[in-house]
Amino acid sequence: MLSKREVFETLRRLSDLPLWVAGGVAVDFHVGRWTRDHCDIDLVAFVEDREVLEGELCSRGFELTRDRGWITNWTGAMSLAFEERVDDVTGNIVVHDGTDGVIPGIYPGVPGNLDSTRWKTLEGVRFRVASAEDEWVYTMGFRAFRPGAPLRDPQDRQLLETQIENLDALRARIGLRLPLARSGQIRQRPFAGDIDLVAMQRLASTRWPQGRHPGGLAWSVTTDQVEGLTLFEDGDDLIAFTWREDGMEHTATTPLRHLMRRLATQDVPPPPAGYQVRPVRADETAARVEVHRSSWNPQELPWHPEHRPSYPPDARSGHSLDMYQRVRRAWMYDPAFDLVAVASDGSLAGSCITWLDPRTGVAEIEPLGVVPAHRHRGIAQALCHEATRRVAAAGGRELIIGQWPNPAYPAPAAAYAKAGFEVIQLERSKGQTPGRALP
């Protein structure tokens, strides 16, 4: 970790160069106080100044330790990212290869992100600072930039939000990526992992509500519920995808027929007596997998007695630790929204994951389950209420659940209705398939 003295000493040595401070240190400059020690110093510059800057850094005693193209690392725990100039005050991050798992592409900066007149002073140290708006967008979309990376510090996000007047105006930029090139030739290929999933989520977010929510999509893919997942690309740009699920063919724009929805609010009732709802802890991974398996034991799912399917005696949930780890790597997964209901004896009584799409402000609860011994006690509603409160606190506007009244499987929709969800009928045109004209 770098102390305040170490950070300030470095910035004083570099303040005359065409550099902007970014990352956690920039947050401190924006809020006007030192909030914590930092792991590194993030700096940004325009790419045309690269040769001069690297020469200056070497002459001032810094040594280059790693060159990743769009970003370089230096002694003193310092990184320097280079942005391509859009105009005098704006730069874009352009990544040409997938070093460190970063998805290649053009990531547009918020207009004015590198304004040369944006000087800020913190405890006598004066330095140019990247805009708070650009920092917030980058923080919110970081896992869409580098899939599976550790989550960014939520404190930075919260502090930045105190400095931004209109967050909703920035949401469309979260996770935004422009292709490096298009070929005019559409090719198809099979799904290949985490990077492809981010591209699918990004596309789903831009198409919402014409197809699946990107959070529920991530759950289905990471838990092996889809088959024949195929991507359609023009150059390095994903333009469509198809898959099979539950015996049906789907595309990125397969129309939604109905779902349940409620507005986000922090005004929700407490959980029932003897229970609490909180985020899962880091030491509860095995228990978290088991509570899901118990909740989704095929033999004990709440089907209507007259419609109960015939399951083999040894049928069990296929959820596993490996699946759960894949879920946790997905963009939009946040452990603060991975909730468990805890009984008075400390056992886990239920769980749910809420996927907040920061771009649209819409969150999906998927999945939600309650252990059979704890059903009919309001646990499902308590999980929904806490998810609703957390989405509202994070700036989300509504929650959805891909459920609707089903006489054969009535319990889920009834529980969600008690938690304030209403059935919404959606009228959408039929989605195009790759066999016809692609979007």
Side-chain angles (χ1 to χ4, degrees), residues 2 4 27 64 148 229 233 257 268 398 410 413 437:
L2 298 175
K4 178 168 61 175
V27 174
L64 178 65
L229 186 50
E233 297 173 318
R257 299 303 183 191
V268 296
E398 68 180 28

Side-chain angles (χ1 to χ4, degrees), residues 248-294:
M248 298 178 61
E249 297 286 338
H250 298 266
T251 75
T253 54
T254 295
L256 297 171
R257 299 303 183 191
H258 34 228
L259 50 78
M260 299 186 75
R261 180 180 69 187
R262 69 156 294 162
L263 296 179
T265 175
Q266 296 190 60
D267 183 17
V268 296
Y275 294 91
Q276 63 168 315
V277 178
R278 58 165 173 77
V280 65
R281 297 195 306 253
D283 62 352
E284 292 178 316
T285 302
R288 177 65 180 82
V289 172
E290 187 53 38
V291 72
H292 179 90
R293 288 173 56 85
S294 298

Side-chain angles (χ1 to χ4, degrees), residues 190-220:
F191 176 78
D194 289 351
I195 291 178
D196 284 351
L197 177 56
V198 168
M200 292 166 57
Q201 288 181 278
R202 186 184 285 116
L203 182 59
S205 177
T206 61
R207 302 294 173 84
W208 174 261
Q210 289 183 302
R212 288 286 295 275
H213 185 279
L217 175 66
W219 170 260
S220 291

Side-chain angles (χ1 to χ4, degrees), residues 4 8 11-12 15 29 32 120-127:
K4 178 168 61 175
F8 285 177
L11 294 182
R12 286 191 182 97
S15 62
F29 274 85
K120 289 186 177 293
T121 302
L122 180 60
E123 299 190 20
V125 178
R126 189 168 181 263
F127 211 89

Side-chain angles (χ1 to χ4, degrees), residues 57-347:
L57 290 175
C58 290
S59 70
R60 299 182 190 197
F62 296 95
E63 295 181 10
L64 178 65
T65 59
R66 191 179 185 195
D67 185 344
R68 291 177 280 168
W70 69 278
I71 189 170
T72 54
N73 294 99
W74 299 78
T75 53
M78 187 174 67
S79 67
L80 174 53
F82 297 98
E83 299 195 6
E84 295 194 6
R85 185 185 293 275
V86 176
D87 53 41
D88 287 344
V89 296
T90 306
N92 292 343
I93 294 176
V94 181
V95 181
H96 291 280
D97 60 50
T99 303
D100 292 342
V102 174
I103 300 176
I106 301 170
Y107 297 87
V110 174
N113 64 328
L114 299 184
D115 186 338
S116 61
T117 67
R118 189 184 293 104
W119 290 86
K120 289 186 177 293
T121 302
L122 180 60
E123 299 190 20
V125 178
R126 189 168 181 263
F127 211 89
R128 292 187 183 93
V129 184
S131 73
E133 291 80 4
D134 197 69
E135 286 295 314
W136 184 79
V137 168
Y138 181 71
T139 296
M140 297 294 281
F142 185 65
R143 276 192 160 183
F145 177 76
R146 186 180 176 190
L151 293 168
R152 308 290 280 186
D153 191 326
Q155 177 183 324
D156 286 352
R157 174 185 63 80
Q158 294 161 4
L159 291 171
L160 287 168
E161 289 173 357
T162 68
Q163 307 299 306
I164 300 172
E165 292 184 1
N166 190 352
L167 292 172
D168 286 339
L170 297 173
R171 289 195 182 279
R173 292 183 166 273
I174 297 172
L176 182 62
R177 172 195 174 275
L178 303 178
L180 290 168
R182 289 192 174 97
S183 65
Q185 300 292 320
I186 297 173
R187 68 185 182 98
Q188 68 181 72
R189 63 174 177 82
F191 176 78
D194 289 351
I195 291 178
D196 284 351
L197 177 56
V198 168
M200 292 166 57
Q201 288 181 278
R202 186 184 285 116
L203 182 59
S205 177
T206 61
R207 302 294 173 84
W208 174 261
Q210 289 183 302
R212 288 286 295 275
H213 185 279
L217 175 66
W219 170 260
S220 291
V221 172
T222 55
T223 55
D224 297 337
Q225 297 181 54
V226 305
E227 297 179 337
L229 186 50
T230 303
L231 280 62
F232 296 80
E233 297 173 318
D234 182 354
D236 70 335
D237 189 20
L238 177 69
I239 59 174
F241 55 88
T242 63
W243 76 97
R244 292 188 302 277
E245 188 174 0
D246 298 328
M248 298 178 61
E249 297 286 338
H250 298 266
T251 75
T253 54
T254 295
L256 297 171
R257 299 303 183 191
H258 34 228
L259 50 78
M260 299 186 75
R261 180 180 69 187
R262 69 156 294 162
L263 296 179
T265 175
Q266 296 190 60
D267 183 17
V268 296
Y275 294 91
Q276 63 168 315
V277 178
R278 58 165 173 77
V280 65
R281 297 195 306 253
D283 62 352
E284 292 178 316
T285 302
R288 177 65 180 82
V289 172
E290 187 53 38
V291 72
H292 179 90
R293 288 173 56 85
S294 298
S295 301
W296 291 91
N297 183 348
Q299 309 288 354
E300 298 180 281
L301 291 176
W303 291 92
H304 187 283
E306 297 179 4
H307 297 277
R308 180 173 294 280
S310 177
Y311 293 106
D314 59 349
R316 296 291 184 272
S317 165
H319 195 58
S320 66
L321 180 60
D322 177 65
M323 286 182 182
Y324 183 54
Q325 297 293 8
R326 277 185 274 157
V327 169
R328 291 170 63 90
R329 291 199 304 269
W331 180 35
M332 297 183 194
Y333 172 86
D334 185 336
F337 289 86
D338 188 350
L339 303 177
V340 290
V342 186
S344 56
D345 63 359
S347 64

Side-chain angles (χ1 to χ4, degrees), residues 350-366:
S351 63
C352 76
I353 297 177
T354 303
W355 304 82
L356 174 59
D357 181 351
R359 184 181 181 279
T360 63
V362 178
E364 180 173 13
I365 296 177
E366 175 67 336

